């Protein structure tokens, strides 16, 4: 959630646009116009997309959180979603079902993507804002056949109760407003994620930072304390501290497909760079891993970043 960087030309879809929603899951139409409603985490807004006839953006207190195209659940409109989509695509051979734990739900964009590209996948979503989930289910409904269970609970609490070795992919996209909560960005949190992963499973996280990137550097050090294999994906301008934006981190106990991930990121319309190995270790610049005792949330976006 809290997605920076979106344009209609930058979107990515895995289909040719022939997805047909069920009659009972057609969802909100653009003719109904935008919708604003208070939810537990602030003011939720559903804004119709200018370029796609059945697509909607979800904003919370003005911060972009998710984008959903009801006609094409494989369409990923935000940069960070596309990069997570690449990891989902590479986590197993095409079409093979996955067991996925999503920490943070928003409009359930990534759960929709997994369900559409990997039929019969079993997914659980932790979304603490139950009022937001009710809004999304009513206005942007899921297909009935998708195995997606949404739990109204704190992401870390759900992770603590996750069975050991049960999931192929843990995706942490946890934001309170536009900031990553500190308790979901620590060595202890990453250790819980590693415990939940099946052999060969991957952990992926969306974070946000800017300027000198102190939060991002600490997060790389944090994951390095748990996972021997790491990579980071971000806009080069974000990595240089030139603008505030999203960064994707991935961790595993087995080698990640760096070459193929790099190729796919290079093929996106939005600029992106994959860091790993020695350059990624150097990126930490001596930052210490975050623990439960030292954790702090990610920095607030600078004024006007979402305008």
């Amino acid at each position: 959630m809290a997605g920076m960087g979106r344009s209609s030309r930058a979107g990515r879809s895995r289909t040719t646009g022939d997805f047909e929603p069920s009659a009972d899951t057609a969802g909100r139409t653009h003719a109904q116009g935008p919708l604003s409603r208070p939810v537990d985490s602030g003011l939720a807004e559903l804004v119709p997309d200018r370029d796609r006839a059945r697509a909607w953006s979800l904003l919370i207190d003005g911060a972009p959180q998710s984008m959903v195209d009801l006609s094409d659940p494989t369409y990923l409109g935000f940069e960070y979603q596309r990069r997570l989509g690449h990891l989902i695509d590479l986590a197993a051979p095409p079409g093979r079902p996955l067991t996925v734990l999503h920490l943070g739900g928003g409009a359930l964009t990534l759960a929709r993507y997994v369900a559409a590209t990997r039929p019969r996948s079993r997914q659980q979503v932790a979304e603490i804002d139950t009022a937001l989930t009710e809004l999304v289910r009513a206005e942007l409904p899921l297909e009935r056949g998708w195995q997606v269970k949404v739990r109204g609970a704190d992401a870390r609490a759900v992770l603590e109760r996750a069975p050991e070795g049960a999931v192929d992919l843990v995706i942490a996209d946890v934001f309170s407003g536009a900031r990553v909560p500190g308790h979901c960005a620590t060595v202890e949190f990453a250790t819980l994620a590693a415990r939940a992963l099946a052999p060969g499973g991957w952990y992926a996280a969306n974070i946000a930072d800017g300027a000198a990137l102190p939060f991002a550097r600490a997060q790389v050090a944090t994951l390095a304390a748990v996972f021997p294999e790491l990579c980071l994906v971000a806009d080069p301008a974000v990595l240089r501290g030139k603008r505030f934006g999203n960064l994707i981190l991935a961790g595993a106990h087995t080698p990640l497909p760096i070459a193929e991930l790099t190729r796919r990121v290079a093929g996106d319309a939005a600029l992106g760079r994959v860091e790993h190995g020695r350059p990624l270790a150097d990126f930490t610049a001596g930052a210490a891993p975050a623990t439960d005792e030292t954790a702090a949330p990610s920095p607030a976006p600078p004024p006007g970043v979402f305008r």
Side-chain angles (χ1 to χ4, degrees):
M1 292 184 281
M4 274 65 72
R6 186 263 162 184
S7 70
S8 59
R9 73 179 183 87
R12 181 172 70 96
S13 175
R14 281 278 304 274
T15 73
T16 57
D18 57 357
F19 174 81
E20 290 293 339
S22 302
D24 57 353
T25 56
R28 191 173 185 84
T29 67
H30 282 197
Q32 294 173 275
L35 173 68
S36 298
R37 184 174 299 172
V39 294
D40 300 335
S41 54
L43 180 66
E45 298 175 78
L46 291 177
V47 180
D49 187 75
R50 296 188 303 269
D51 302 306
R52 300 179 72 87
R54 303 196 66 241
W56 296 85
S57 290
L58 168 67
L59 290 74
I60 303 291
D61 289 336
Q65 300 291 317
S66 303
M67 184 181 184
V68 169
D69 188 335
L70 293 172
S71 291
D72 183 1
T74 73
Y75 178 78
L76 300 175
F78 289 156
E79 292 172 12
Y80 87 87
Q81 291 175 342
R82 292 191 295 279
R83 289 161 185 163
L84 287 170
H86 291 319
L87 290 169
I88 292 167
D89 291 344
L90 293 171
R96 177 182 293 179
L98 294 175
T99 301
V100 185
L101 175 58
H102 301 265
L103 304 174
L108 308 175
T109 304
L110 292 172
R112 297 170 199 266
Y113 183 82
V114 172
T117 60
R118 297 184 176 277
R120 301 180 305 283
S121 291
R122 292 181 294 116
Q123 302 184 76
Q124 183 176 171
V125 182
E127 174 54 65
I128 195 170
D129 192 333
T130 56
L132 175 61
T133 298
E134 291 173 2
L135 173 65
V136 168
R137 283 191 175 280
E139 302 294 339
L140 308 176
L142 301 174
E143 287 289 301
R144 283 187 177 273
W146 290 348
Q147 299 179 59
V148 180
K149 180 180 179 181
V150 184
R151 299 185 61 182
D154 176 77
R156 179 152 174 174
V158 170
L159 190 57
E160 288 171 347
R161 295 194 294 271
E164 183 174 354
V167 300
D168 302 305
L169 192 59
V170 174
I171 301 176
D173 189 12
V174 188
F175 281 78
S176 177
R179 305 179 73 179
V180 179
H183 74 292
C184 293
T186 66
V187 170
E188 293 85 349
F189 183 87
T191 300
L192 289 169
R195 175 182 173 276
L197 290 173
W202 298 352
Y203 173 72
N206 174 37
I207 64 172
D209 204 358
L213 301 171
F215 184 80
R217 298 180 197 280
Q219 285 304 292
V220 173
T222 298
L223 293 193
V226 178
F227 295 103
E229 301 290 335
L230 289 178
C231 72
L232 177 153
V233 188
D235 185 313
V238 173
L239 289 173
R240 292 194 300 269
K242 298 297 184 182
R243 73 173 180 89
F244 192 93
N246 296 90
L247 304 94
I248 300 301
L249 292 166
H253 285 95
T254 55
L256 294 162
I258 300 299
E260 180 60 19
L261 177 62
T262 300
R263 186 187 70 79
R264 295 187 183 210
V265 169
D268 287 338
L271 291 176
R273 193 166 83 211
V274 178
E275 295 284 12
H276 65 100
R278 174 51 57 186
L280 184 57
D282 293 342
F283 173 80
T284 63
T291 67
D292 284 350
E293 291 186 355
T294 64
S298 64
V305 71
F306 299 123
R307 292 176 187 170

